[in-house]
């Protein structure tokens, strides 16, 4: 197992020094799911939610969150993201919304945290906008799906580390 990069030799928290790392194309994809009552999903899909297009608001919130990850997660680097995509789609079960995010850049460090933050905040935004009609919603399955670039190469969920 690799050592934790955010700890120094004394075991104290530190920001990773990426000065000597090569600038490479980097990309990460993440997902989240928010489960809800079928009536809540129908209201969202039919555009009948009193607060308007909640999917559009959640998409924008996810994009903004990716751009602000360094303000939210201690020790994350401020990154110059070149692309952030947030896709929200109704779940096949008729009672959920699936959130898929992708973040890209050319840089010295990865964008996994940005993709995960985008998915999480998009889900939280859906919860916030719909809680008046459905307090029983559940956010889950927040996970990294794929990362590309950098020293550790390409990784896909469900595969063994390189």
């Amino acid at each position: 197992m690799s050592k934790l990069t955010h700890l120094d030799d004394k075991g104290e928290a530190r920001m990773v020094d990426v000065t000597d790392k090569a600038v490479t194309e980097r990309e990460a994809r993440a997902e989240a799911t928010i489960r809800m009552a079928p009536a809540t999903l129908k209201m969202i899909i039919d555009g009948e939610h009193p607060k308007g297009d909640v999917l559009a608001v959640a998409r924008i919130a996810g994009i903004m969150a990716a751009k602000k990850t360094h303000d939210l997660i201690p020790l994350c680097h401020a990154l110059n993201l070149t692309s952030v995509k947030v896709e929200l789609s109704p779940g096949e079960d008729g009672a959920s919304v699936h959130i898929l995010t992708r973040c890209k850049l050319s840089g010295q460090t990865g964008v996994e945290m940005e993709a995960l933050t985008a998915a999480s905040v998009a889900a939280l935004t859906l919860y916030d906008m719909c809680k008046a009609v459905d307090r029983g919603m559940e956010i889950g399955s927040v996970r990294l799906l794929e990362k590309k670039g950098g020293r550790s190469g390409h990784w896909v969920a469900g595969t063994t580390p390189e």
Side-chain angles (χ1 to χ4, degrees), residues 71-112:
D71 287 332
L72 301 169
I73 309 293
L75 310 178
C76 276
H77 292 85
L79 301 179
N80 186 21
L81 296 170
T82 57
S83 177
V84 177
K85 292 189 178 177
V86 178
E87 298 174 8
L88 298 100
S89 56
E92 292 179 12
D93 61 1
S96 64
V97 173
H98 182 250
I99 301 158
L100 183 62
T101 64
R102 187 188 77 182
C103 295
K104 290 174 66 174
L105 61 67
S106 290
Q108 295 169 290
T109 189
V111 291
E112 297 93 329

Side-chain angles (χ1 to χ4, degrees), residues 17-28:
D17 184 352
V18 298
T19 305
D20 296 329
K21 290 176 87 176
V23 172
T24 61
E25 297 289 320
R26 295 162 187 263
E27 180 177 338

Side-chain angles (χ1 to χ4, degrees), residues 121-138:
V121 171
L124 287 167
T125 300
L126 282 176
Y127 185 93
D128 180 51
M129 295 197 69
C130 296
K131 69 182 183 262
V133 296
D134 187 356
R135 293 205 186 269
M137 292 175 289
E138 293 180 17

Side-chain angles (χ1 to χ4, degrees), residues 13 24 46 52 59 64 76 86 89 102-103 118 120 122 126 139 144 147 152:
T24 61
D46 293 346
R59 186 178 307 107
M64 291 175 64
C76 276
V86 178
S89 56
R102 187 188 77 182
C103 295
S120 299
L126 282 176
I139 295 170
L144 184 67
K147 68 142 311 269
S152 61

